Amino acid sequence: MFGRHFENQYVFSTVICLLLQYGFINTCLKSLVVEKYGEETWEKLRLQAGVQDSFLTFEVYKDEITMQLVDKACKILGVPADTVLREFGEYFFEFCKRSGYDHMLRTLGGNLYEFIENLDALHSYLSLSYQEMNAPSFRVEKNEDGSMHLHYYSDRRGLCHIVPGIISAAALDFFNIEISMEIVNQTEEEERTGKKEHIVFLVTQTPVFSYKERNEFSSSLQNLADSEKQIENQLNKENTIRDRGSSVCPAKKSHWKTIKGIITLGKGKLLRGFDPVYPKNLWIDTKTFCNGLPFHMVFDKELRVKQAGVSIQKIVPGLQTMGICLDHYFSIVHPEVPFTISSIQKFINSQFVFQTRREMMPESWKHRPMLELRGQMIWMESLQCMLYLCSPLLRTLHELEERQMHIADIAPHDVTRDLILLNQQRLAEMELSNQLERKKEELRILSKHLEEEKKKTEALLYAMLPQHVANQLKEGKQVEAGEFKECTILFSDVVTFTNICAQCEPIQIVLMLNSMYLQFDRLTTVHDVYKVETIGDAYMVVGGVPVPVPTHAERVANFALGMIIAATGVQNPVSGNPIQIRVGIHTGPVLAGVVGEKMPRYCLFGDTVNIASRMESHGVPSKIHLSSSTYQCLKYKNFEMTERGEIEVKGKGKMHTYFLIRNKTATENEIMGRPMKDLDSGHESGQSFQEGRTETIPSCHQPGRINSTYLSLLEQMKINTTQLNMLFFSSFSYSAREGPDPSHCNEVY
């Protein structure tokens, strides 16, 4: 729980101090972009900035990563940097509120001035555990008109606009006031060492009251006025009685009760200021003071030491010589100001960190790490001296041992004793938290890779089986056969394939078929038809299975036209001329289902398969042979067809058949799914994106038009050696024929 509480403190403070090194800032920026602009915008932003997708909370990252993200966000979103940074500041404060961190922040101060004034103290505390912190510094000045000047010092340029976003959100939520912040000065800081950015904001405040609060405030003012009048009357009455010398008893109701009711308002807050009481003499001797406050120093305007606590004298022996110059033994680490009284007075509300100078330490101590002191400066006007009340700045017991110090060297009342012990535990918890976060990130990356591999596996599976069938098989369910009352089946084969195989090397056959099938596979996606299988040079597709569609015949017809065109681009390895294919199509009912458990196949059963195969085997080279049933489906669908007449079909007798010539309304580019630039202007088209280039394809679920879906998975896949060998050996399964023998089909494919 303690580690959780400390993490809560870190969350908000890292933005207040613009602590860019730790990954939580980049994580929050990602959350802002995803929540307000979407995951796609973040992915685009991340890729352009060249950064990873996730960040570890306690990991230290380079500032350039955050700067790149901010710069790319400005360009992608089209907004200036100051707007992005301010929005980021406001968003982060709301993020902290939702996480329950506002309770800790409310304790920094009772008003906005105190809240800002104590930010440096919070950063100093957090630096105990987050040693890589490079926090800026804040200094606030009150003006007579109620406004404030906020001085902001930072090593990083251009990020000052985060401050108004966070301060405005905190002021509205914590103190119910609206503020406006404008930059009135922006210079290179001369007061602080090094080249720093110094921004001065003018902060003006406007209270925000609800209707109920305004009424209550007006009523309280009225009650106050009435009560003051009542007191005045009561006092006048008592004075009159006293003047008359009357022996009348005092009033039963004490006027102190009346005053008590007047000076309180609302929730018991005193209206009148508190006046402390000081003793005439200081009731503590010098020795007790130096022992009771073992870490303190008093020095004058010339930095001459007038007094020092006993423990600090023990650590820095030179301080036993009163009157030495303090800057000879110490340097100021924070705030980074020159070691002068004027600079210290300007930042007197900040916590000061001193570090001992190595060259002034005894020779035997120079190997030790230098001691740092952290504390508060108090200017004593009557003595014209500065009091530095401090404690050792130690983070762990190890640091205590390195400086050869002990817990006993720290005063019992000093919370530094407890802080060292608690911080030891906190650092251990942080290390465990960091390890858990790293393991979580490793699991996230592994899960992401697993998901990518799963998608690849599913894509390959869906390329072999229909998606709904594959899903049922993955779930261990039995796939029942389904009856389709009407579908269209296509068969094709290569003319003179037997002669080609006899005169070529096997690898030439494989390359030829692969070149042809890759184009055919792409066309199955363009026209949304299902590829059943390939056997050697035979290629089989079906329309209307496994998903019934009314345009099955048109889709298969357009696919067949594309096959004829694609085949002209494949060379015969023997003659060097384009190969020729025969295509046969038939429409009718089928029964479809999965056969087998090992390497299951989605097969079609029925006489329709047999007749489609006959149409191909009795076809003509470079022609599309149609049965009469397919002709009837395409008759009024903008296709040009010619009658072949009656032919003798083996096993079927005489059949009236036709040839498909062309699609009257679709161009060759539409048939092939080529880019839009070659398409006729009168046709609708859709776009698809593949491997970084834009391709335009026709959108035609209409009769006689082309399907709009275009994403060829198989075109992106490289054929491997196993596939080559399987294809090579299967290519000879029908080497004794020029087309698939119907007897081999057995009415099943």
Side-chain angles (χ1 to χ4, degrees):
M1 290 299 294
F2 184 84
R4 170 75 175 178
H5 173 71
F6 187 78
E7 181 182 343
N8 295 353
Q9 292 178 329
Y10 164 72
V11 169
F12 183 85
S13 175
T14 48
V15 172
I16 288 288
C17 67
L18 309 184
L19 181 60
L20 300 184
Q21 294 101 324
Y22 288 98
F24 196 90
I25 300 302
N26 298 329
T27 301
C28 181
L29 184 56
K30 172 187 175 180
S31 179
L32 168 63
V33 175
V34 171
E35 184 174 318
K36 293 200 172 184
Y37 303 100
E39 187 74 39
E40 294 180 357
T41 302
W42 163 252
E43 189 65 19
K44 183 178 180 181
L45 170 61
R46 180 185 71 82
L47 293 175
Q48 289 193 14
V51 301
Q52 63 266 44
D53 184 50
S54 60
F55 305 90
L56 300 179
T57 301
F58 301 104
E59 187 76 16
V60 177
Y61 295 91
K62 293 183 179 179
D63 291 355
E64 287 76 9
I65 292 178
T66 306
M67 303 300 289
Q68 279 282 352
L69 288 172
V70 173
D71 178 61
K72 298 302 180 184
C74 295
K75 294 179 180 178
I76 292 175
L77 302 177
V79 293
D82 56 343
T83 303
V84 172
L85 293 173
R86 185 181 180 98
E87 185 176 359
F88 173 68
E90 294 173 350
Y91 172 81
F92 195 84
F93 179 79
E94 291 301 322
F95 177 81
C96 294
K97 273 187 57 184
R98 293 196 301 266
S99 304
Y101 305 143
D102 56 326
H103 299 293
M104 180 273 300
L105 293 166
R106 290 179 189 274
T107 62
L108 287 182
N111 54 55
L112 184 61
Y113 176 83
E114 295 175 352
F115 177 83
I116 300 174
E117 192 178 48
N118 284 280
L119 287 177
D120 278 13
L122 179 60
H123 299 158
S124 178
Y125 170 69
L126 293 176
S127 65
L128 292 175
S129 298
Y130 297 90
Q131 301 182 25
E132 297 295 329
M133 283 183 66
N134 183 17
S137 182
F138 294 92
R139 180 165 62 89
V140 61
E141 300 172 342
K142 284 185 177 180
N143 301 323
E144 294 181 357
D145 60 355
S147 62
M148 295 183 292
H149 278 109
L150 172 59
H151 295 259
Y152 161 78
Y153 306 88
S154 176
D155 290 333
R156 303 178 178 92
R157 301 183 182 279
L159 298 175
C160 59
H161 296 286
I162 296 181
V163 178
I166 298 177
I167 299 297
S168 298
L172 183 60
D173 187 78
F174 291 165
F175 311 112
N176 204 29
I177 58 175
E178 290 182 348
I179 66 170
S180 63
M181 295 181 64
E182 58 176 313
I183 297 177
V184 295
N185 192 15
Q186 185 171 357
T187 59
E188 292 290 339
E189 178 55 32
E190 298 176 356
E191 299 168 354
R192 296 161 59 96
T193 58
K195 293 183 179 180
K196 311 288 182 180
E197 186 176 55
H198 177 196
I199 308 293
V200 182
F201 294 95
L202 176 63
V203 183
T204 56
Q205 309 178 52
T206 304
V208 179
F209 292 111
S210 65
Y211 179 77
K212 180 179 179 181
E213 290 172 332
R214 284 197 298 270
N215 289 341
E216 291 177 353
F217 185 72
S218 300
S219 177
S220 299
L221 292 178
Q222 183 63 41
N223 292 337
L224 178 61
D226 294 343
S227 299
E228 288 180 345
K229 187 175 181 180
Q230 182 181 353
I231 285 182
E232 185 178 356
N233 293 337
Q234 181 71 20
L235 293 176
N236 290 337
K237 183 178 180 180
E238 291 181 0
N239 290 336
T240 302
I241 294 174
R242 191 180 300 111
D243 292 342
R244 291 176 181 177
S246 174
S247 60
V248 178
C249 295
K252 292 182 179 180
K253 184 178 180 180
S254 170
H255 71 278
W256 292 111
K257 292 184 179 180
T258 307
I259 293 175
K260 183 179 179 182
I262 294 171
I263 64 176
T264 59
L265 175 66
K267 298 181 179 179
K269 295 183 180 179
L270 293 177
L271 293 178
R272 298 184 179 180
F274 168 73
D275 294 326
V277 177
Y278 300 101
K280 293 182 179 180
N281 300 312
L282 186 62
W283 290 89
I284 184 171
D285 61 85
T286 306
K287 184 177 180 181
T288 303
F289 188 88
C290 291
N291 281 291
L293 297 174
F295 288 94
H296 84 276
M297 290 182 287
V298 177
F299 53 95
D300 60 14
K301 290 184 177 180
E302 287 74 33
L303 303 181
R304 291 192 298 267
V305 177
K306 299 295 185 181
Q307 182 177 314
V310 293
S311 292
I312 202 170
Q313 292 180 36
K314 178 181 176 182
I315 297 169
V316 186
L319 294 180
Q320 292 182 309
T321 304
M322 299 302 162
I324 65 168
C325 288
L326 189 63
D327 58 342
H328 290 174
Y329 287 85
F330 293 94
S331 60
I332 299 179
V333 176
H334 178 82
E336 298 177 38
V337 296
F339 211 142
T340 63
I341 283 290
S342 60
S343 297
I344 293 174
Q345 287 177 329
K346 187 170 290 186
F347 288 84
I348 198 165
N349 290 324
S350 300
Q351 283 195 343
F352 278 77
V353 178
F354 282 8
Q355 185 181 61
T356 55
R357 293 186 182 275
R358 189 177 297 276
E359 63 272 15
M360 300 302 293
M361 294 295 102
E363 191 65 30
S364 60
W365 293 7
K366 289 186 178 181
H367 67 281
R368 304 179 188 173
M370 292 297 97
L371 177 67
E372 290 184 345
L373 302 173
R374 181 184 64 184
Q376 160 189 19
M377 294 289 182
I378 301 175
W379 175 248
M380 299 179 290
E381 185 65 30
S382 60
L383 299 177
Q384 291 291 294
C385 288
M386 187 72 73
L387 170 62
Y388 181 41
L389 289 173
C390 57
S391 299
L393 182 55
L394 299 170
R395 298 174 178 84
T396 62
L397 294 173
H398 178 68
E399 291 184 0
L400 189 73
E401 294 173 348
E402 282 184 328
R403 290 156 180 81
Q404 296 187 9
M405 293 179 62
H406 303 86
I407 293 291
D409 295 326
I410 305 172
H413 63 79
D414 194 338
V415 295
T416 304
R417 298 163 64 111
D418 299 328
L419 187 62
I420 293 173
L421 298 175
L422 289 173
N423 200 49
Q424 185 77 22
Q425 176 186 354
R426 180 169 56 224
L427 290 174
E429 292 177 355
M430 287 175 55
E431 179 61 26
L432 288 175
S433 177
N434 196 15
Q435 291 179 11
L436 288 174
E437 192 173 12
R438 290 180 181 276
K439 292 297 182 183
K440 179 181 176 182
E441 178 63 14
E442 291 175 5
L443 288 174
R444 189 193 67 83
I445 294 174
L446 288 175
S447 177
K448 183 178 179 180
H449 290 166
L450 180 62
E451 188 65 26
E452 292 175 354
E453 294 301 321
K454 180 182 176 183
K455 289 180 179 179
K456 292 179 182 178
T457 303
E458 289 181 345
L460 185 59
L461 182 61
Y462 295 155
M464 300 173 64
L465 292 169
Q467 184 170 342
H468 73 281
V469 172
N471 291 336
Q472 290 183 45
L473 291 176
K474 285 197 302 181
E475 295 171 2
K477 298 179 181 179
Q478 185 176 0
V479 182
E480 297 182 359
E483 182 180 358
F484 297 85
K485 294 184 178 180
E486 188 176 71
C487 68
T488 300
I489 298 176
L490 175 147
F491 278 94
S492 73
D493 75 340
V494 177
V495 178
T496 67
F497 183 68
T498 303
N499 296 334
I500 295 174
C501 291
Q503 300 178 46
C504 294
E505 294 292 330
I507 188 62
Q508 292 179 292
I509 303 300
V510 170
L511 293 176
M512 179 193 74
L513 291 178
N514 184 54
S515 174
M516 180 176 67
Y517 287 165
L518 283 177
Q519 296 189 58
F520 291 177
D521 291 342
R522 187 180 68 87
L523 288 172
T524 61
T525 304
V526 174
H527 300 286
D528 198 12
V529 294
Y530 179 69
K531 175 185 175 182
V532 181
E533 63 179 339
T534 58
I535 302 176
D537 64 321
Y539 195 95
M540 177 184 178
V541 300
V542 61
V545 176
V547 180
V549 290
T551 57
H552 54 85
E554 299 94 293
R555 297 185 183 194
V556 174
N558 285 317
F559 173 78
L561 292 170
M563 293 179 76
I564 298 296
I565 298 171
T568 59
V570 180
Q571 283 190 348
N572 184 327
V574 176
S575 63
N577 298 323
I579 64 171
Q580 291 182 305
I581 62 172
R582 284 189 299 261
V583 179
I585 304 176
H586 176 63
T587 301
V590 296
L591 189 70
V594 177
V595 177
E597 292 182 352
K598 287 189 176 181
M599 296 185 66
R601 303 295 298 176
Y602 189 71
C603 299
L604 305 181
F605 302 83
D607 193 50
T608 301
V609 179
N610 206 11
I611 296 175
S613 178
R614 302 291 197 281
M615 291 296 102
E616 175 267 314
S617 60
H618 291 75
V620 177
S622 299
K623 293 283 188 179
I624 302 171
H625 195 198
L626 307 179
S627 68
S628 58
S629 60
T630 305
Y631 172 79
Q632 293 299 324
C633 291
L634 300 177
K635 189 174 182 180
Y636 304 105
K637 305 295 185 180
N638 295 318
F639 286 95
E640 181 180 340
M641 296 172 285
T642 60
E643 184 178 2
R644 183 181 184 184
E646 285 190 353
I647 61 171
E648 185 69 29
V649 178
K650 182 180 179 181
K652 295 297 177 182
K654 294 186 180 295
M655 293 185 67
H656 207 85
T657 61
Y658 303 82
F659 287 123
L660 174 63
I661 307 301
R662 66 186 182 93
N663 186 321
K664 298 178 181 178
T665 59
T667 65
E668 179 179 317
N669 288 322
E670 287 182 299
I671 294 291
M672 300 302 295
R674 291 171 183 159
M676 179 65 181
K677 61 182 180 180
D678 296 328
L679 296 183
D680 296 337
S681 59
H683 298 304
E684 297 179 3
S685 63
Q687 287 186 338
S688 73
F689 300 92
Q690 182 179 1
E691 297 181 347
R693 70 180 187 274
T694 303
E695 289 199 1
T696 307
I697 59 174
S699 58
C700 74
H701 280 286
Q702 307 170 15
R705 302 298 300 278
I706 314 299
N707 191 324
S708 62
T709 307
Y710 177 64
L711 179 61
S712 177
L713 169 68
L714 294 178
E715 193 176 40
Q716 301 175 26
M717 299 169 58
K718 301 296 183 182
I719 186 164
N720 56 39
T721 305
T722 304
Q723 290 171 318
L724 287 173
N725 291 335
M726 291 176 62
L727 191 58
F728 163 68
F729 288 113
S730 65
S731 67
F732 290 96
S733 60
Y734 295 99
S735 59
R737 59 183 177 84
E738 291 187 6
D741 189 338
S743 62
H744 291 281
C745 295
N746 195 26
E747 300 184 349
V748 176
Y749 270 87

